[in-house]
Amino acid sequence: MKIYVISKKNFLYWDDHVVDALISLGHDVKHFQINNRTAGLQFTRGILKGILGKEKGNKISNEMIIKRLKTEMKSFSPDLVFIPYAFFIPVEFYSMIKELPNKPKVFAWEGDGGSNVDSHKECTPYIDILFETDKD
């Protein structure tokens, strides 16, 4: 199976361990960390946030990241997209995944608050299967 893992880099390395486990099971895996930005994008993001404000600057730089990710995902054509830290990924990333021509399934894992938290509800319609370790 071709699996694309989308995550945010953090000090716990859960996403790296997920990738290692999937590879050890024989899957073809690509990994993309949305906050592991090139120096150029990091600089651009800082400038945009300084000029346009944090929210608008983040939105524009996320659009730049999504464009790059969409190109990579179209080329890889995954059967499944797995997202550890489900609700740390902005909804625009989920929306982009659902627009891919091959329509991969989206599985996500969340351990902070679960799907009943109001701020998480915008992402849940895009997730086919949600694994939660923090049920209310």
Side-chain angles (χ1 to χ4, degrees), residues 10 20 28 47 56 63 73 83-84 102 110 120 129:
N10 74 30
D20 292 343
D28 187 4
I47 297 291
K56 189 150 183 135
E63 288 171 3
M73 291 183 75
I83 304 173
N102 65 315
E110 181 57 46
H120 297 173
I129 295 179

Side-chain angles (χ1 to χ4, degrees), residues 21-86:
L22 293 170
I23 290 170
S24 74
L25 291 169
H27 298 292
D28 187 4
V29 180
K30 299 280 185 191
H31 185 198
F32 188 91
Q33 295 171 315
I34 68 170
N35 60 338
N36 190 11
R37 302 174 194 96
T38 63
L41 182 56
Q42 193 75 347
F43 178 76
T44 301
R45 184 178 177 96
I47 297 291
L48 289 170
K49 286 167 63 173
I51 295 171
L52 303 172
K54 182 178 180 181
E55 187 175 320
K56 189 150 183 135
N58 284 342
K59 183 175 174 38
I60 292 170
S61 63
N62 281 345
E63 288 171 3
M64 295 165 66
I65 295 167
I66 288 169
K67 184 177 178 181
R68 179 178 143 216
L69 179 58
K70 186 175 186 178
T71 300
E72 288 181 17
M73 291 183 75
K74 279 183 175 181
S75 174
F76 184 63
S77 191
D79 303 300
L80 171 69
V81 176
F82 186 77
I83 304 173
Y85 325 112

